[in-house]
Amino acid sequence: MFEKLFLLVKDNAGTAVINNPVIPAQHHEAVINEASSSIIEVLKGQLESGKVKELIKYFQFSGSYNNSLVSSITNRFANKLNTFYSIDPANALATAKALIPTVMNELIKETKSGEAKEFALGTLLTKLNGNRTDLNPLVNNLMVA
């Protein structure tokens, strides 16, 4: 699942990362990895803080541009760009804003389409919790509500 997320980020990284003059070519792969890990870290944090219902609503009802979840991921990614790659805060935030909302919209589409089983919402949340608990029954219950 995490490899698939990396590929989803990579597929959407053209303008934001690959064609971005502030990100040297030797860092492209690492920056894409940072974007993927930012998504995973924030989603995991939501699960660990008991916000499963909010996560399900986020994936069930799109409209991510004004969502605090997307803002959290965007800010985390921008901070990593600034801290680890010395990209100034304004460019780091612009890069994150160019990439993260697009990737999250694609992730929502993937969870809804059902084509990629790794991105089925219950499977995604179960993987994020380290396979400790199968969250499919909970997701199915909350999706109906």
Side-chain angles (χ1 to χ4, degrees), residues 6-126:
F6 175 83
L7 292 174
L8 186 65
V9 173
K10 190 173 186 174
D11 289 346
N12 289 282
T15 305
V17 177
I18 308 300
N19 301 327
N20 190 336
V22 301
I23 301 174
Q26 70 266 23
H27 294 306
H28 288 170
E29 195 93 355
V31 166
I32 292 167
N33 199 41
E34 296 291 0
S36 301
S37 68
S38 296
I39 293 168
I40 292 165
E41 290 162 9
V42 171
L43 293 178
K44 248 183 175 173
Q46 293 285 306
L47 273 179
E48 290 167 0
S49 63
K51 295 182 179 174
V52 177
K53 203 178 237 184
E54 289 85 353
L55 264 179
I56 293 169
K57 281 183 185 173
Y58 169 76
F59 282 98
Q60 193 175 12
F61 306 107
S62 316
S64 64
Y65 285 106
N66 295 324
N67 193 289
S68 63
L69 185 70
V70 173
S71 296
S72 295
I73 298 167
T74 301
N75 290 333
R76 181 173 296 237
F77 180 45
N79 286 336
K80 287 181 177 188
L81 291 175
N82 179 251
T83 304
F84 302 125
Y85 302 94
S86 302
I87 297 172
D88 70 89
N91 278 321
L93 188 58
T95 299
K97 283 182 174 180
L99 181 61
I100 298 300
T102 304
V103 170
M104 292 308 290
N105 281 332
E106 288 299 314
L107 186 57
I108 288 169
K109 284 181 197 170
E110 291 282 340
T111 61
K112 286 182 175 182
S113 79
E115 288 175 28
K117 302 228 183 295
E118 302 91 349
F119 288 138
L121 189 53
T123 304
L124 176 70
L125 298 179
T126 298

